[in-house]
Amino acid sequence: MLKNATGTHNLNTPPKRTPLFSRLGVFLLTVGMLMAFFISQLLGVYIAGKLVLPAAKNSTMADIFFFGSNDGTVVSLSIIIGCVLLIAISLLVIRVRGGDSRQYLALKPFSFAVGMGLLGLLLIFMIGSQALTYLLDKSPLLFVDPLYQSVSSVWLLIFAMVIVAPIYEELIFRGLLWSAIAEQFTSSTYSKHRGAIVASVVTSLIFAVIHVQYGIYEISTIVVLALIFCYARIKSGSLLLPILLHIVNNGAAMWQYIAQTA
């Protein structure tokens, strides 16, 4: 029987969804996915190095990692290999926990108006960041030099760094980990907002720190960039928008690098 407005039940009230992970589970998931992130990169370099490096058959594992990590072709292939592995792991984890991957990762369309608004915000950030980088005389893409000079095809490097890397990075940080942290706060509307904020701050800090190839200044800008991606996830309710914005950001950075190098 339905109860009135003063009752405890209402057909219009959606059932409370049980979090897919416990708080301990979120901690273990975060640690596990970070380990998977780095291991997949190392495994990708090793596999690609074995396939690409001319002296790989007679080289030690340490040699493959050393020379492979500075070879553009090896690194590009390792990014693609790592992407496949991390997507598979993420989907498997969600399935084992009994979740719906499409829903949990927010893989759904987003509003065009929201997309254009967030694209405008990203462009403002990119312009401001570029101006500050110029004033401080920073060169954040120096690590790309040996990769660009040694890659067999520049289009392979562009594909890996501009398209592939944003996909699996967003899947992990604004997808799996963001949802796992945010869902710990589901008791009220206030808690949901708090969950979104906590998830955004935590995942953005972790996302910035794992970019070990950068200095303090670059890591600071990555934190802000990651927060923009999180805001895009919140505002649109979709992971596809952060992925698209990440691709735009990486594409602009790569275009600028190539334009300066040519």
Side-chain angles (χ1 to χ4, degrees):
M1 182 176 67
L2 299 181
K3 295 192 176 183
N4 57 27
T6 60
T8 57
H9 300 283
N10 191 305
L11 286 181
N12 294 324
T13 302
K16 185 183 295 185
R17 191 177 69 182
T18 303
L20 211 59
F21 300 92
S22 65
R23 295 200 173 183
L24 175 60
V26 171
F27 174 76
L28 295 176
L29 174 69
T30 302
V31 174
M33 289 308 297
L34 288 177
M35 291 178 61
F37 183 86
F38 288 109
I39 291 173
S40 67
Q41 288 185 326
L42 292 174
L43 186 59
V45 169
Y46 181 76
I47 294 173
K50 277 287 191 180
L51 295 173
V52 173
L53 296 178
K57 291 184 178 180
N58 300 319
S59 300
T60 64
M61 184 179 294
D63 289 336
I64 292 176
F65 284 139
F66 178 78
F67 292 107
S69 60
N70 289 288
D71 184 280
T73 303
V74 172
V75 170
S76 298
L77 293 176
S78 73
I79 290 174
I80 297 172
I81 294 171
C83 178
V84 173
L85 292 174
L86 289 170
I87 289 176
I89 292 172
S90 299
L91 297 180
L92 179 62
V93 167
I94 296 173
R95 183 172 182 178
V96 168
R97 297 298 300 174
D100 182 284
S101 298
R102 187 177 295 273
Q103 179 182 5
Y104 200 74
L105 297 173
L107 299 176
K108 57 184 180 180
F110 56 87
S111 164
F112 177 78
V114 172
M116 292 304 295
L118 268 296
L119 178 60
L121 178 61
L122 176 64
L123 291 177
I124 292 173
F125 164 80
M126 291 167 59
I127 293 172
S129 176
Q130 180 58 36
L132 186 59
T133 299
Y134 176 79
L135 291 174
L136 296 177
D137 194 26
K138 297 288 185 178
S139 301
L141 294 180
L142 281 177
F143 75 95
V144 180
D145 285 346
L147 307 181
Y148 181 77
Q149 294 165 4
S150 60
V151 71
S152 58
S153 170
V154 68
W155 290 109
L156 176 62
L157 185 64
I158 291 173
F159 175 70
M161 298 187 71
V162 174
I163 306 296
V164 179
I167 291 175
Y168 72 78
E169 289 180 349
E170 292 305 310
L171 186 77
I172 293 174
F173 292 98
R174 259 65 65 182
L176 180 59
L177 296 185
W178 193 96
S179 292
I181 295 172
E183 71 176 358
Q184 300 302 311
F185 306 83
T186 57
S187 59
S188 66
T189 302
Y190 170 77
S191 294
K192 290 179 181 178
H193 291 320
R194 182 183 176 190
I197 293 172
V198 172
S200 298
V201 172
V202 172
T203 57
S204 296
L205 290 175
I206 297 175
F207 177 72
V209 170
I210 66 167
H211 286 78
V212 294
Q213 69 269 36
Y214 293 113
I216 297 298
Y217 165 74
E218 290 81 10
I219 288 178
S220 299
T221 61
I222 290 175
V223 171
V224 179
L225 181 63
L227 288 172
I228 292 176
F229 294 153
C230 288
Y231 181 63
R233 160 75 197 263
I234 297 168
K235 191 71 174 177
S236 67
S238 171
L239 183 64
L240 300 182
L241 181 55
I243 291 175
L244 179 60
L245 295 180
H246 200 151
I247 290 174
V248 170
N249 178 78
N250 284 21
M254 181 61 74
W255 173 81
Q256 182 182 20
Y257 173 83
I258 293 176
Q260 292 176 346
T261 305

